[in-house]
């Protein structure tokens, strides 16, 4: 299960994820991002409550990163230890700006 909370303030969009971002839930996030990403200059993913991310979830984040490379910047905040480990092992920690 994945809970997605988003807050848009002008060109800033904060997306808070809670639960598991996997094959089952990643289409839900992709749909949400595609619906709200237009006009966003800074996209922040807050992952403090994300328990797990699969390759399908990584693909959604990467696709958001590609869009944001053209129209602004993307930041990943507060990844849990488990999620940070997945970023490190897959090399995504070199691709994303993690704070």
């Amino acid at each position: 299960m994945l809970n997605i909370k988003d807050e848009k303030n002008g060109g800033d969009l904060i997306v808070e994820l809670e639960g598991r971002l996997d094959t089952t839930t990643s289409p839900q996030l992709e749909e949400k991002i595609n619906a709200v990403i237009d006009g966003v200059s800074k996209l922040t993913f807050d992952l403090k409550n994300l328990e797990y991310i699969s390759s399908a979830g990584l693909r959604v984040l990467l696709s958001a990163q590609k869009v944001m490379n053209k129209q602004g910047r993307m930041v990943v905040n507060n990844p849990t230890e488990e999620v940070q480990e997945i970023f490190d092992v897959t090399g995504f920690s070199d691709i994303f700006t993690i704070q």
Side-chain angles (χ1 to χ4, degrees):
M1 183 166 154
L2 179 70
N3 290 321
I4 304 170
K5 197 166 110 186
D6 65 293
E7 185 181 319
K8 199 168 186 180
N9 185 4
D12 289 358
L13 174 64
I14 299 171
V15 179
E16 213 174 288
L17 302 178
E18 179 183 355
R20 295 174 59 87
L21 182 54
D22 55 25
T23 309
T24 310
T25 60
S26 60
Q28 179 188 348
L29 177 61
E30 188 169 32
E31 190 176 303
K32 172 58 111 179
I33 296 300
N34 289 339
V36 296
I37 203 165
D38 278 351
V40 171
S41 55
K42 181 181 180 194
L43 171 59
T44 304
F45 282 101
D46 189 338
L47 306 183
K48 68 178 175 270
N49 296 314
L50 189 67
E51 299 160 13
Y52 172 78
I53 187 167
S54 73
S55 58
L58 289 171
R59 185 186 57 76
V60 174
L61 293 186
L62 183 60
S63 138
Q65 177 72 64
K66 286 180 179 173
V67 171
M68 292 312 298
N69 284 345
K70 293 179 185 140
Q71 66 186 50
R73 66 191 198 106
M74 181 176 118
V75 178
V76 176
N77 283 348
N78 311 312
T80 59
E81 226 175 271
E82 295 83 359
V83 171
Q84 181 63 55
E85 191 175 319
I86 292 167
F87 285 161
D88 291 343
V89 167
T90 57
F92 275 72
S93 51
D94 297 331
I95 297 170
F96 298 143
T97 302
I98 300 174
Q99 297 176 340

